Amino acid sequence: MPELPEVEVVRLGLAPAVTDAVVTAVDVFDERALTRHDRTRGDFAARLVGRRMSEPQRRGKFLWVPLEPLVGRLAEGEWRPDAVLAHLGMTGQLLLREAWARPDDEPHVRMRIELRHPSLGELAVFFRDQRTFGSLALDELIATDAGDAVPGQVSHIARDPLDPLFDDRAFLSALTLKNSAIKRVLLDQGAISGVGNIYADEALWAARIHPEQPANTLSRAKAKLLLAEIRVVLAKALTEGGTSFDAQYVNVNGQAGYFAHSLNAYGRQGTPCPRCGAPIVRVSFMNRSSHFCPRDQRLR
DNA sequence: CCCCTCACCTGATCGC
DNA sequence: TGCGATCAGGTGAGGG
């Protein structure tokens, strides 16, 4: 599910159920669900049980749930992480379930986290993930220069374009230094986070930019237009609940999003460009695909 | 430092 | 019907 709008849909769905809830049990069915967790620092389940969660946060495609500080003296060698971090990879899902729901009644449930919520009572969060590129981890929050805090594993990525503190000027000037294809830069989470293959293609289509146009050849005006279109497409996808092609992307209640109906380029090879009518083409790019209109997204 | 390729997985679909 | 090739929303390690 995993670009910014889909992850934000999950965050919004998770919030009322996990905020103020206490973790009562953790069952890990597949260790690959913990590939991002550094187990030399402590066992995931043991360190998480008993902790109270606060409101879920997100940067780009990373989601995390801060944990309320523990009181009392730190035991010798004790590690007290302050967030549960999640990345959904290609097919990860976080699903709200009744406490009695059985994990083996559905495929690919890699982990179950049981919670006690002060008003909702007992409930469970299932982490499902067909391809196992997603994972959870315990992590420490690190303060940023701007005064907010992000997990250590998130500190290397840029802010996302829906973050009020995203630095437009820094992003635009970074583009002038990069000789890479603009689409490659959009997918580089260190330059701008939250954009993946779908929304990169959609934003480039909207801004009429060829995906392989070198970033440093874009005019300032064109680059600003692209950034604006990125924000438009991400925000619109969010209001429509994200993009679902199949059952892989669903919200915390298992429901699909509607944005697939609004796609102009992604996955639409052979169909007329909604703007000019020329057939959309699909080309291989970076071990995946780019979709664009060959008539009004010309390489210059 | 910058840029790029590849490995990591499972499952659906398509062509022969 | 079977089977191999190809493809799918992502990330990060490591090589040049």
Side-chain angles (χ1 to χ4, degrees):
Chain A
M1 26 172 82
E3 298 181 44
L4 186 154
E6 292 77 29
V7 178
E8 178 65 3
V9 167
V10 172
R11 189 189 74 81
L12 291 168
L14 225 42
V18 308
T19 306
D20 297 330
V22 173
V23 178
T24 51
V26 173
D27 294 304
V28 179
F29 308 115
D30 189 325
E31 287 294 319
R32 294 174 299 182
L34 291 174
T35 46
R36 282 179 173 77
H37 179 73
D38 179 3
R39 72 204 66 195
T40 67
R41 308 203 62 186
D43 181 72
F44 180 87
R47 293 270 71 88
L48 182 54
V49 169
R51 300 294 302 268
R52 186 180 296 273
M53 296 177 150
S54 42
E55 189 184 3
Q57 309 289 312
R58 182 190 52 72
R59 174 179 286 187
K61 307 171 195 174
F62 281 91
L63 176 67
W64 67 92
V65 185
L67 302 170
E68 289 189 9
L70 287 172
V71 294
R73 185 179 303 162
L74 206 63
E76 176 74 21
E78 182 187 353
W79 179 47
R80 290 183 178 175
D82 34 27
V84 189
L85 176 68
H87 195 291
L88 301 174
M90 293 281 263
T91 54
Q93 308 174 341
L94 289 168
L95 298 158
L96 292 178
R97 292 284 185 256
E98 306 281 0
W100 44 260
R102 292 170 25 170
D104 48 359
D105 280 351
E106 50 192 314
H108 314 308
V109 177
R110 312 297 187 191
M111 193 185 306
R112 171 181 180 273
I113 298 176
E114 187 179 278
L115 305 172
R116 181 180 298 123
H117 187 275
S119 54
L120 301 173
E122 306 282 339
L123 57 108
V125 175
F126 285 9
F127 176 60
R128 272 180 75 179
D129 190 11
Q130 179 201 101
R131 290 175 71 185
T132 72
F133 291 170
S135 73
L136 307 193
L138 294 174
D139 206 349
E140 288 170 357
L141 296 178
I142 297 172
T144 70
D145 295 343
D148 52 357
V150 298
Q153 291 190 49
V154 177
S155 57
H156 71 289
I157 73 167
R159 289 181 188 274
D160 64 64
L162 299 189
D163 184 333
L165 295 178
F166 182 86
D167 190 339
D168 286 27
R169 297 187 59 176
F171 173 69
L172 294 172
S173 60
L175 289 187
T176 68
L177 301 174
K178 291 184 183 288
N179 196 31
S180 310
I182 182 61
K183 179 166 171 183
R184 181 182 287 278
V185 179
L186 296 186
L187 295 178
D188 175 0
Q189 305 297 296
I192 181 171
S193 67
V195 179
N197 210 34
I198 297 177
Y199 300 113
D201 281 2
E202 291 301 304
L204 289 165
W205 178 87
R208 305 189 194 209
I209 297 169
H210 191 289
E212 297 185 46
Q213 188 72 36
N216 58 9
T217 63
L218 294 175
S219 69
R220 181 94 177 171
K222 202 70 164 166
K224 285 178 80 167
L225 172 66
L226 175 58
L227 180 53
E229 295 293 1
I230 290 168
R231 289 192 166 111
V232 168
V233 72
L234 293 178
K236 181 149 188 281
L238 178 56
T239 66
E240 297 186 23
T243 302
S244 306
F245 301 120
D246 52 31
Q248 293 306 338
Y249 164 64
V250 290
N251 67 13
V252 296
N253 299 311
Q255 298 159 327
Y258 294 100
F259 194 72
H261 302 288
S262 303
L263 295 174
N264 291 303
Y266 186 88
R268 300 191 45 84
Q269 60 273 18
T271 69
C273 168
R275 189 167 46 213
C276 78
I280 297 289
V281 298
R282 170 180 168 278
V283 301
S284 182
F285 179 76
M286 288 174 68
N287 289 328
R288 35 165 47 105
S289 321
S290 286
H291 312 75
F292 62 98
C293 171
R295 184 180 293 168
D296 49 28
Q297 292 173 264
R298 304 267 178 106
L299 205 49
R300 298 179 193 285

